[in-house]
PDB file of all heavy atoms in Angstrom:
ATOM      1  N   ASP A  50      -3.404  -6.524  12.511  1.00 96.00           N
ATOM      2  CA  ASP A  50      -2.626  -7.435  11.669  1.00 96.00           C
ATOM      3  C   ASP A  50      -1.516  -6.694  10.933  1.00 96.00           C
ATOM      4  O   ASP A  50      -1.592  -5.486  10.683  1.00 96.00           O
ATOM      5  CB  ASP A  50      -3.539  -8.103  10.627  1.00 96.00           C
ATOM      6  CG  ASP A  50      -4.403  -9.192  11.225  1.00 96.00           C
ATOM      7  OD1 ASP A  50      -4.193  -9.551  12.407  1.00 96.00           O
ATOM      8  OD2 ASP A  50      -5.282  -9.688  10.503  1.00 96.00           O
ATOM      9  N   VAL A  51      -0.492  -7.461  10.568  1.00 97.00           N
ATOM     10  CA  VAL A  51       0.620  -6.945   9.784  1.00 97.00           C
ATOM     11  C   VAL A  51       0.606  -7.612   8.413  1.00 97.00           C
ATOM     12  O   VAL A  51       0.383  -8.829   8.304  1.00 97.00           O
ATOM     13  CB  VAL A  51       1.972  -7.208  10.480  1.00 97.00           C
ATOM     14  CG1 VAL A  51       3.129  -6.706   9.611  1.00 97.00           C
ATOM     15  CG2 VAL A  51       2.001  -6.540  11.842  1.00 97.00           C
ATOM     16  N   GLN A  52       0.826  -6.810   7.413  1.00 98.00           N
ATOM     17  CA  GLN A  52       0.921  -7.304   6.045  1.00 98.00           C
ATOM     18  C   GLN A  52       2.343  -7.009   5.517  1.00 98.00           C
ATOM     19  O   GLN A  52       3.017  -6.096   6.012  1.00 98.00           O
ATOM     20  CB  GLN A  52      -0.070  -6.538   5.152  1.00 98.00           C
ATOM     21  CG  GLN A  52      -1.494  -7.039   5.233  1.00 98.00           C
ATOM     22  CD  GLN A  52      -2.101  -6.875   6.629  1.00 98.00           C
ATOM     23  OE1 GLN A  52      -2.538  -7.864   7.212  1.00 98.00           O
ATOM     24  NE2 GLN A  52      -2.173  -5.659   7.162  1.00 98.00           N
ATOM     25  N   TRP A  53       2.753  -7.772   4.536  1.00 98.00           N
ATOM     26  CA  TRP A  53       4.051  -7.562   3.884  1.00 98.00           C
ATOM     27  C   TRP A  53       3.861  -7.500   2.375  1.00 98.00           C
ATOM     28  O   TRP A  53       3.073  -8.254   1.800  1.00 98.00           O
ATOM     29  CB  TRP A  53       5.012  -8.706   4.229  1.00 98.00           C
ATOM     30  CG  TRP A  53       5.433  -8.723   5.668  1.00 98.00           C
ATOM     31  CD1 TRP A  53       4.817  -9.384   6.695  1.00 98.00           C
ATOM     32  CD2 TRP A  53       6.563  -8.059   6.235  1.00 98.00           C
ATOM     33  NE1 TRP A  53       5.484  -9.171   7.877  1.00 98.00           N
ATOM     34  CE2 TRP A  53       6.569  -8.358   7.617  1.00 98.00           C
ATOM     35  CE3 TRP A  53       7.576  -7.243   5.739  1.00 98.00           C
ATOM     36  CZ2 TRP A  53       7.539  -7.872   8.493  1.00 98.00           C
ATOM     37  CZ3 TRP A  53       8.539  -6.756   6.591  1.00 98.00           C
ATOM     38  CH2 TRP A  53       8.525  -7.070   7.951  1.00 98.00           C
ATOM     39  N   TYR A  54       4.605  -6.601   1.753  1.00 98.00           N
ATOM     40  CA  TYR A  54       4.561  -6.419   0.307  1.00 98.00           C
ATOM     41  C   TYR A  54       5.964  -6.524  -0.262  1.00 98.00           C
ATOM     42  O   TYR A  54       6.928  -6.085   0.364  1.00 98.00           O
ATOM     43  CB  TYR A  54       3.968  -5.054  -0.059  1.00 98.00           C
ATOM     44  CG  TYR A  54       2.575  -4.829   0.482  1.00 98.00           C
ATOM     45  CD1 TYR A  54       2.404  -4.310   1.759  1.00 98.00           C
ATOM     46  CD2 TYR A  54       1.450  -5.155  -0.264  1.00 98.00           C
ATOM     47  CE1 TYR A  54       1.130  -4.117   2.279  1.00 98.00           C
ATOM     48  CE2 TYR A  54       0.166  -4.963   0.246  1.00 98.00           C
ATOM     49  CZ  TYR A  54       0.024  -4.442   1.516  1.00 98.00           C
ATOM     50  OH  TYR A  54      -1.233  -4.262   2.027  1.00 98.00           O
ATOM     51  N   GLN A  55       6.042  -7.064  -1.450  1.00 98.00           N
ATOM     52  CA  GLN A  55       7.303  -7.134  -2.200  1.00 98.00           C
ATOM     53  C   GLN A  55       7.211  -6.186  -3.384  1.00 98.00           C
ATOM     54  O   GLN A  55       6.212  -6.213  -4.124  1.00 98.00           O
ATOM     55  CB  GLN A  55       7.528  -8.559  -2.706  1.00 98.00           C
ATOM     56  CG  GLN A  55       8.788  -8.739  -3.545  1.00 98.00           C
ATOM     57  CD  GLN A  55       8.812 -10.081  -4.255  1.00 98.00           C
ATOM     58  OE1 GLN A  55       7.914 -10.414  -5.023  1.00 98.00           O
ATOM     59  NE2 GLN A  55       9.834 -10.881  -3.985  1.00 98.00           N
ATOM     60  N   GLN A  56       8.215  -5.358  -3.552  1.00 98.00           N
ATOM     61  CA  GLN A  56       8.247  -4.451  -4.696  1.00 98.00           C
ATOM     62  C   GLN A  56       9.514  -4.715  -5.499  1.00 98.00           C
ATOM     63  O   GLN A  56      10.610  -4.306  -5.099  1.00 98.00           O
ATOM     64  CB  GLN A  56       8.171  -2.983  -4.272  1.00 98.00           C
ATOM     65  CG  GLN A  56       8.060  -2.032  -5.456  1.00 98.00           C
ATOM     66  CD  GLN A  56       7.881  -0.583  -5.032  1.00 98.00           C
ATOM     67  OE1 GLN A  56       8.374  -0.151  -4.009  1.00 98.00           O
ATOM     68  NE2 GLN A  56       7.140   0.168  -5.838  1.00 98.00           N
ATOM     69  N   LEU A  57       9.364  -5.386  -6.611  1.00 97.00           N
ATOM     70  CA  LEU A  57      10.489  -5.619  -7.510  1.00 97.00           C
ATOM     71  C   LEU A  57      10.859  -4.307  -8.177  1.00 97.00           C
ATOM     72  O   LEU A  57      10.030  -3.410  -8.314  1.00 97.00           O
ATOM     73  CB  LEU A  57      10.113  -6.674  -8.545  1.00 97.00           C
ATOM     74  CG  LEU A  57       9.815  -8.074  -7.977  1.00 97.00           C
ATOM     75  CD1 LEU A  57       9.232  -8.974  -9.057  1.00 97.00           C
ATOM     76  CD2 LEU A  57      11.055  -8.695  -7.369  1.00 97.00           C
ATOM     77  N   PRO A  58      12.100  -4.178  -8.625  1.00 95.00           N
ATOM     78  CA  PRO A  58      12.549  -2.915  -9.239  1.00 95.00           C
ATOM     79  C   PRO A  58      11.643  -2.472 -10.377  1.00 95.00           C
ATOM     80  O   PRO A  58      11.362  -3.240 -11.299  1.00 95.00           O
ATOM     81  CB  PRO A  58      13.946  -3.264  -9.742  1.00 95.00           C
ATOM     82  CG  PRO A  58      14.411  -4.353  -8.831  1.00 95.00           C
ATOM     83  CD  PRO A  58      13.198  -5.161  -8.519  1.00 95.00           C
ATOM     84  N   GLY A  59      11.166  -1.235 -10.293  1.00 95.00           N
ATOM     85  CA  GLY A  59      10.333  -0.670 -11.337  1.00 95.00           C
ATOM     86  C   GLY A  59       8.913  -1.187 -11.400  1.00 95.00           C
ATOM     87  O   GLY A  59       8.185  -0.869 -12.346  1.00 95.00           O
ATOM     88  N   ARG A  60       8.501  -1.953 -10.402  1.00 97.00           N
ATOM     89  CA  ARG A  60       7.173  -2.554 -10.414  1.00 97.00           C
ATOM     90  C   ARG A  60       6.330  -2.038  -9.261  1.00 97.00           C
ATOM     91  O   ARG A  60       6.818  -1.430  -8.314  1.00 97.00           O
ATOM     92  CB  ARG A  60       7.289  -4.076 -10.315  1.00 97.00           C
ATOM     93  CG  ARG A  60       8.140  -4.714 -11.391  1.00 97.00           C
ATOM     94  CD  ARG A  60       7.488  -4.622 -12.761  1.00 97.00           C
ATOM     95  NE  ARG A  60       6.229  -5.344 -12.818  1.00 97.00           N
ATOM     96  CZ  ARG A  60       6.128  -6.638 -13.091  1.00 97.00           C
ATOM     97  NH1 ARG A  60       7.207  -7.365 -13.310  1.00 97.00           N
ATOM     98  NH2 ARG A  60       4.933  -7.211 -13.151  1.00 97.00           N
ATOM     99  N   ALA A  61       5.039  -2.313  -9.347  1.00 98.00           N
ATOM    100  CA  ALA A  61       4.140  -1.975  -8.249  1.00 98.00           C
ATOM    101  C   ALA A  61       4.325  -2.966  -7.101  1.00 98.00           C
ATOM    102  O   ALA A  61       4.734  -4.110  -7.323  1.00 98.00           O
ATOM    103  CB  ALA A  61       2.692  -2.011  -8.728  1.00 98.00           C
ATOM    104  N   PRO A  62       4.052  -2.552  -5.891  1.00 98.00           N
ATOM    105  CA  PRO A  62       4.094  -3.507  -4.773  1.00 98.00           C
ATOM    106  C   PRO A  62       3.107  -4.641  -4.991  1.00 98.00           C
ATOM    107  O   PRO A  62       2.061  -4.474  -5.626  1.00 98.00           O
ATOM    108  CB  PRO A  62       3.681  -2.648  -3.566  1.00 98.00           C
ATOM    109  CG  PRO A  62       4.025  -1.255  -3.955  1.00 98.00           C
ATOM    110  CD  PRO A  62       3.754  -1.193  -5.424  1.00 98.00           C
ATOM    111  N   LYS A  63       3.483  -5.795  -4.430  1.00 98.00           N
ATOM    112  CA  LYS A  63       2.646  -6.988  -4.542  1.00 98.00           C
ATOM    113  C   LYS A  63       2.464  -7.575  -3.142  1.00 98.00           C
ATOM    114  O   LYS A  63       3.434  -7.663  -2.381  1.00 98.00           O
ATOM    115  CB  LYS A  63       3.324  -8.007  -5.453  1.00 98.00           C
ATOM    116  CG  LYS A  63       2.719  -9.396  -5.451  1.00 98.00           C
ATOM    117  CD  LYS A  63       3.649 -10.385  -6.148  1.00 98.00           C
ATOM    118  CE  LYS A  63       3.315 -11.806  -5.799  1.00 98.00           C
ATOM    119  NZ  LYS A  63       4.292 -12.785  -6.311  1.00 98.00           N
ATOM    120  N   LEU A  64       1.241  -7.946  -2.818  1.00 98.00           N
ATOM    121  CA  LEU A  64       0.972  -8.533  -1.509  1.00 98.00           C
ATOM    122  C   LEU A  64       1.711  -9.842  -1.358  1.00 98.00           C
ATOM    123  O   LEU A  64       1.585 -10.735  -2.191  1.00 98.00           O
ATOM    124  CB  LEU A  64      -0.532  -8.745  -1.334  1.00 98.00           C
ATOM    125  CG  LEU A  64      -0.966  -9.338   0.008  1.00 98.00           C
ATOM    126  CD1 LEU A  64      -0.729  -8.346   1.144  1.00 98.00           C
ATOM    127  CD2 LEU A  64      -2.439  -9.750  -0.045  1.00 98.00           C
ATOM    128  N   LEU A  65       2.452  -9.973  -0.258  1.00 98.00           N
ATOM    129  CA  LEU A  65       3.258 -11.156  -0.007  1.00 98.00           C
ATOM    130  C   LEU A  65       2.689 -11.974   1.158  1.00 98.00           C
ATOM    131  O   LEU A  65       2.641 -13.207   1.101  1.00 98.00           O
ATOM    132  CB  LEU A  65       4.681 -10.718   0.328  1.00 98.00           C
ATOM    133  CG  LEU A  65       5.820 -11.692   0.188  1.00 98.00           C
ATOM    134  CD1 LEU A  65       5.952 -12.188  -1.248  1.00 98.00           C
ATOM    135  CD2 LEU A  65       7.126 -11.034   0.650  1.00 98.00           C
TER     136      LEU A  65
END
Side-chain angles (χ1 to χ4, degrees):
Chain A
D50 284 352
V51 178
Q52 279 63 237
W53 292 91
Y54 302 87
Q55 178 192 58
Q56 186 176 32
L57 296 171
R60 304 291 297 274
K63 168 192 162 187
L64 181 68
L65 200 60

